[in-house]
Amino acid sequence: MFAASPAHAAEQDGGAEVEILEQIALTQVSGLDFGTIIPSAAGGNINIRRNTGLCIANGGVTLVGTDCQRGEFLITGPSRQRVRITLASAPITLSQQSGTAIMVMDRVRINGNRNKRLNAAGQRTFYVSGRLQVGANQAPGVYDGTFDVTVDYR
């Protein structure tokens, strides 16, 4: 009669692998500063150019001194790593430190493309700029605010 033939089983070990990258670090080197201004009866704005850092006053606003500057950030991580920078969306409110007045930053940008590559030393600098709307007869004082900057692996 017919006999059952034994089952022929096969076995093979599978492999698994993982690469662990060092964490990306983000450091603010210098803050975004719209400088010292004098408002007038007409509103205006201060615009900081993202690629050059040039500060331009428009409308009824006058820049005084040279303290207007882009914000500078430093990314550190693995050599040649690709990263993506994400900024908070405008509008961003700046509030008077000793009062209730506000101003609005209606534009926030980085220099160049938001996708960057770290250099061989694992570093990359980028700059943040923006445009600040200054109201007519804006109340005197110091104004400040915050915005989020995120850097992720790409």
Side-chain angles (χ1 to χ4, degrees), residues 42-102:
N45 65 59
I46 301 294
N47 188 16
I48 303 175
R49 303 286 179 163
R50 64 181 167 177
N51 291 323
T52 64
L54 179 65
C55 296
I56 300 170
N58 296 297
V61 180
T62 303
L63 272 167
V64 178
T66 59
D67 52 345
C68 182
Q69 68 179 15
R70 300 179 290 182
E72 181 180 354
F73 290 82
L74 174 65
I75 307 167
T76 54
S79 174
R80 307 272 183 222
Q81 179 62 49
R82 292 176 189 238
V83 295
R84 176 175 297 142
I85 302 164
T86 306
L87 290 176
S89 298
I92 296 165
T93 301
L94 280 69
S95 300
Q96 189 182 30
Q97 286 182 353
S98 58
T100 59
I102 63 167

Side-chain angles (χ1 to χ4, degrees), residues 37-44 60-61 96 101-103 134-141 143:
I37 62 173
I38 300 171
S40 71
V61 180
Q96 189 182 30
I102 63 167
M103 286 190 280
V134 181
N137 300 311
Q138 187 73 46
Y143 291 72

Side-chain angles (χ1 to χ4, degrees), residues 26 32 50 71 73 84-90 92 105 107-112 114 126-130 147-152:
L26 179 62
L32 175 60
R50 64 181 167 177
F73 290 82
R84 176 175 297 142
I85 302 164
T86 306
L87 290 176
S89 298
I92 296 165
M105 192 165 73
R107 183 179 294 156
V108 58
R109 294 187 173 154
I110 64 167
N111 64 307
R114 72 183 194 133
F126 69 95
Y127 299 92
V128 176
S129 66
F147 56 92
D148 293 330
V149 180
T150 304
V151 177
D152 293 306

